[in-house]
Amino acid sequence: AQSVTQLDSQVPVFEEAPVELRCNYSSSVSVYLFWYVQYPNQGLQLLLKYLSGSTLVKGINGFEAEFNKSQTSFHLRKPSVHISDTAEYFCAVSLTGYSTLTFGKGTMLLVSP
Amino acid sequence: GAVVSQHPSRVICKSGTSVKIECRSLDFQATTMFWYRQFPKQSLMLMATSNEGSKATYEQGVEKDKFLINHASLTLSTLTVTSAHPEDSSFYICSAGKGTGTDTQYFGPGTRLTVL
């Protein structure tokens, strides 16, 4: 079975600073990788996904992530964060050919002025 | 687009009553829908997967007689929490996929259930 580890439960950062949210996964087979964002009391919004091809994936709101197969990682980055980026971020995996998602525990990004 | 709606967004009920939550895909046909439960400050836990016209597949530990799922059409799935108790209070989120295989799940806005 696959699993996802988000190493940081909370990441505080100042506005306009860069940020990296870490995600590592475990799977014996190929996976698809996703990052979702959740604002308070709302559902999840897809930020970006890696299915195949280029390992650097660009998403919405200026976020990008890089798939590193050797390190089994899919870290999320943004070069300059805004106050409005304050939210919970979830990394998720699914087995290729299936849609069932396994989520990490989430990382709360706290952006302060 | 791929918009998923949920209704109601918030519901408060008395212990022992049943509550129905609707999940609709507004601009696409969802062959597969998923129901998740999220406790405060925790991740999403998959409860069940439903395919249109067939019985839902429940995850281990989820009581299928308590959480009734119906996927009657390609745009509607419902979750009924029967004989709700305070421990059923949670945030319930549905998602929908356009097809099997590689596709992305599109999430609804969630339903906050509070059982008194």
Side-chain angles (χ1 to χ4, degrees), chain A residues 30-32 94-100, chain B residues 99-103:
Chain A
S30 297
V31 295
Y32 295 156
S94 69
L95 296 180
T96 55
Y98 296 86
S99 297
T100 302
Chain B
T100 58
T102 66
D103 216 20

Side-chain angles (χ1 to χ4, degrees), chain B residues 102-113:
Chain B
T102 66
D103 216 20
T104 306
Q105 288 184 35
Y106 300 93
F107 285 80
T111 296
R112 173 75 59 193
L113 170 63

Side-chain angles (χ1 to χ4, degrees), chain A residues 6 32 34 36 38 41-46 49 51 88 90-91 94-106, chain B residues 10 32 34 36 38 41-46 49 59 91 93 97 99-110 112:
Chain A
Q6 291 183 246
Y32 295 156
F34 305 80
Y36 286 87
Q38 184 181 33
N41 296 311
Q42 294 186 30
L44 273 66
Q45 181 182 7
L46 179 67
K49 61 184 176 182
L51 303 182
E88 189 85 27
F90 291 97
C91 181
S94 69
L95 296 180
T96 55
Y98 296 86
S99 297
T100 302
L101 288 169
T102 300
F103 285 89
K105 292 188 174 183
Chain B
R10 188 179 294 266
T32 307
F34 304 85
Y36 295 86
Q38 185 180 31
K41 299 188 184 300
Q42 294 190 28
S43 188
L44 282 74
M45 299 300 295
L46 179 66
T49 303
E59 295 298 301
F91 195 51
I93 305 176
T100 58
T102 66
D103 216 20
T104 306
Q105 288 184 35
Y106 300 93
F107 285 80
R112 173 75 59 193

Side-chain angles (χ1 to χ4, degrees), chain B residues 37-66:
Chain B
R37 183 173 181 177
Q38 185 180 31
F39 290 102
K41 299 188 184 300
Q42 294 190 28
S43 188
L44 282 74
M45 299 300 295
L46 179 66
M47 298 174 67
T49 303
S50 72
N51 293 292
E52 185 264 340
S54 61
K55 289 184 179 180
T57 301
Y58 290 82
E59 295 298 301
Q60 193 172 5
V62 177
E63 299 176 59
K64 61 181 181 181
D65 294 330
K66 181 168 186 62

Side-chain angles (χ1 to χ4, degrees), chain A residues 38-104:
Chain A
Q38 184 181 33
Y39 298 100
N41 296 311
Q42 294 186 30
L44 273 66
Q45 181 182 7
L46 179 67
L47 278 177
L48 48 78
K49 61 184 176 182
Y50 172 80
L51 303 182
S52 65
S54 173
T55 56
L56 183 62
V57 181
K58 293 189 183 297
I60 62 171
N61 301 341
F63 284 93
E64 65 180 31
E66 186 158 19
F67 170 58
N68 188 319
K69 188 174 182 179
S70 62
Q71 297 186 4
T72 60
S73 67
F74 191 55
H75 300 332
L76 180 70
R77 301 186 184 98
K78 186 169 183 178
S80 176
V81 295
H82 301 288
I83 297 286
S84 58
D85 292 324
T86 295
E88 189 85 27
Y89 291 80
F90 291 97
C91 181
V93 301
S94 69
L95 296 180
T96 55
Y98 296 86
S99 297
T100 302
L101 288 169
T102 300
F103 285 89

